Amino acid sequence: MTVDESKIRVNTFLQETLNTIATKNKEVGSAFSSILESEITIKQKSSSNDTPIEELASSSQDEAIEAFKEALRTKGALQFYQDYNFEKIEKMIEEKKAELMDKLGLGENTQPPLVGEERANALALLEDMLDAYRKQLQEKMQAEDELKQQTSTLTTFLKDLA
């Protein structure tokens, strides 16, 4: 077997794997969308007997549900999930930033306030710490996703055996 034949075989294998993954992602997205639609329908049917006060709350919930469904339709399940995780990470980063600013003496109520080089060093340290925290959160969420995927695959496999 020549090098070119090996490259073709590897390329073919990678393409087949990519196609399989893409198909599974579409199936998962489709399944997610159908489950979501059915749950929303059930919820809407069960709340059809609302009183007027409950109708006001229900209408704002309906708007939120419609916004959610529209975002899901336009972005797709995978992009929606990634954006959701990104928003969670950004919120956690903001909370951590506020906490670290107080600890590093960069808060508004710090007495005496940091100035000059001390402040610049503290800000640089803050950015480094936030970057490390962001990486840690991304790795954690990626590991959780992989664990969920492995668990799902194992569950499917065990159901097929049964």
Side-chain angles (χ1 to χ4, degrees):
M1 184 181 319
T2 66
V3 173
D4 289 334
E5 290 173 338
S6 296
K7 286 181 182 179
I8 291 171
R9 288 183 69 198
V10 168
N11 190 22
T12 303
F13 174 74
L14 290 175
Q15 188 63 40
E16 289 172 356
T17 304
L18 179 63
N19 290 340
T20 303
I21 291 171
T23 302
K24 286 183 181 179
N25 282 343
K26 286 180 185 177
E27 291 171 357
V28 167
S30 175
F32 177 76
S33 295
S34 64
I35 291 170
L36 177 65
E37 287 289 336
S38 66
E39 290 296 321
I40 290 171
T41 304
I42 291 169
K43 178 65 177 166
Q44 287 175 343
K45 286 180 181 178
S46 69
S47 65
S48 63
N49 298 328
D50 292 342
T51 60
I53 294 173
E54 292 171 333
E55 285 178 12
L56 293 175
S58 179
S59 67
S60 65
Q61 287 177 344
D62 290 344
E63 291 172 9
I65 290 171
E66 288 302 317
F68 172 77
K69 287 181 358 183
E70 183 61 28
L72 191 59
R73 277 189 210 110
T74 57
K75 295 179 182 179
L78 181 62
Q79 185 63 44
F80 181 84
Y81 183 68
Q82 289 173 341
D83 289 349
Y84 174 73
N85 279 344
F86 178 76
E87 290 172 8
K88 282 195 328 189
I89 288 173
E90 289 303 312
K91 182 180 177 189
M92 294 169 83
I93 295 268
E94 287 301 316
E95 292 170 359
K96 189 69 161 181
K97 182 177 182 178
E99 175 187 333
L100 290 174
M101 285 184 74
D102 288 338
K103 287 183 179 180
L104 293 173
L106 295 169
E108 295 175 5
N109 299 328
T110 304
Q111 293 298 329
L114 293 177
V115 291
E117 190 175 318
E118 287 179 340
R119 183 167 180 78
N121 289 340
L123 286 171
L125 180 61
L126 175 67
E127 288 303 315
D128 290 343
M129 293 171 89
L130 289 176
D131 287 341
Y133 186 62
R134 178 178 278 115
K135 282 176 104 176
Q136 181 184 12
L137 287 174
Q138 289 171 339
E139 289 171 359
K140 177 184 174 191
M141 287 188 173
Q142 184 177 8
E144 287 174 354
D145 287 344
E146 288 174 5
L147 182 61
K148 286 179 186 177
Q149 184 178 13
Q150 289 174 353
T151 303
S152 175
T153 304
L154 180 60
T155 302
T156 304
F157 178 72
L158 292 175
K159 284 181 182 178
D160 289 344
L161 285 177

